[in-house]
Amino acid sequence: MIRSKLRTLLLGGGSAAVMLATALVPASASASPAHEARDAAGTAAGFWACTVPPGYTFTSTQQTLNCGDSGFRTYYFVQPPADGLWACTVGDGFTYSSTQQTLDCSTGGGFRTKYLLRTPKTGLWACTVPSGFTYTSTQSTLDCSTSGGFRTKYLLRAF
């Protein structure tokens, strides 16, 4: 008798906990976009969009029904490029100092390259030599690899 009442009480409490947890779980990102992140100046630092606007990069993707008439489409988390940001594209005025293979940047499945963005300056070891710079030394490294294997890294010097 006591076991029966205890079992009923525990089952009822467990059901209530499941209902409460279900009510508290947020809706999926494809049903309602995440709020925009704001930087210190109050401007939009990042937001989900169906396209990547000029002057922006993207740092993550997901498939959504929000961006097309039918079927899943790519949804991009876009933000302005910045020094030290891991991004899926390298914007104008930036170089990169490291890469990684990730699913974060995938637009159709499979691994893609993500870049550690850097603002070019004298003394920076970078994977590319941007306009307005030359280099004073090189090294062979895996840091800059976009498809496996060693690549050249450059010690930048502004001219």
Side-chain angles (χ1 to χ4, degrees):
M1 174 90 169
I2 292 176
R3 277 189 190 166
S4 173
K5 287 186 179 192
L6 183 57
R7 185 177 304 132
T8 302
L9 181 62
L10 289 174
L11 287 175
S15 296
V18 169
M19 289 176 21
L20 178 61
T22 303
L24 295 177
V25 171
S28 71
S30 62
S32 64
H35 294 290
E36 293 181 354
R38 299 284 173 173
D39 64 13
T43 58
F47 54 92
W48 287 99
C50 298
T51 61
V52 181
Y56 282 77
T57 186
F58 65 100
T59 57
S60 187
T61 62
Q62 65 181 10
Q63 295 301 305
T64 183
L65 294 171
N66 290 347
C67 294
D69 295 335
S70 64
F72 283 94
R73 302 291 170 108
T74 303
Y75 210 25
Y76 303 90
F77 189 76
V78 298
Q79 52 192 124
D83 190 56
L85 177 70
W86 280 98
C88 301
T89 59
V90 181
D92 290 339
F94 287 88
T95 185
Y96 60 98
S97 61
S98 190
T99 62
Q100 60 180 321
Q101 296 302 307
T102 180
L103 294 172
D104 291 351
C105 301
S106 181
T107 58
F111 285 90
R112 299 292 170 98
T113 303
K114 202 167 195 179
Y115 306 90
L116 180 58
L117 300 184
R118 299 303 309 265
T119 303
K121 63 182 178 183
T122 296
L124 175 70
W125 281 98
C127 299
T128 62
V129 180
S131 179
F133 286 82
T134 188
Y135 57 96
T136 58
S137 189
T138 62
Q139 59 180 277
S140 186
T141 180
L142 292 172
D143 289 351
C144 301
S145 180
T146 57
S147 59
F150 286 89
R151 299 284 300 265
T152 302
K153 202 167 194 179
Y154 306 90
L155 183 59
L156 299 182
R157 179 176 174 86
F159 60 83

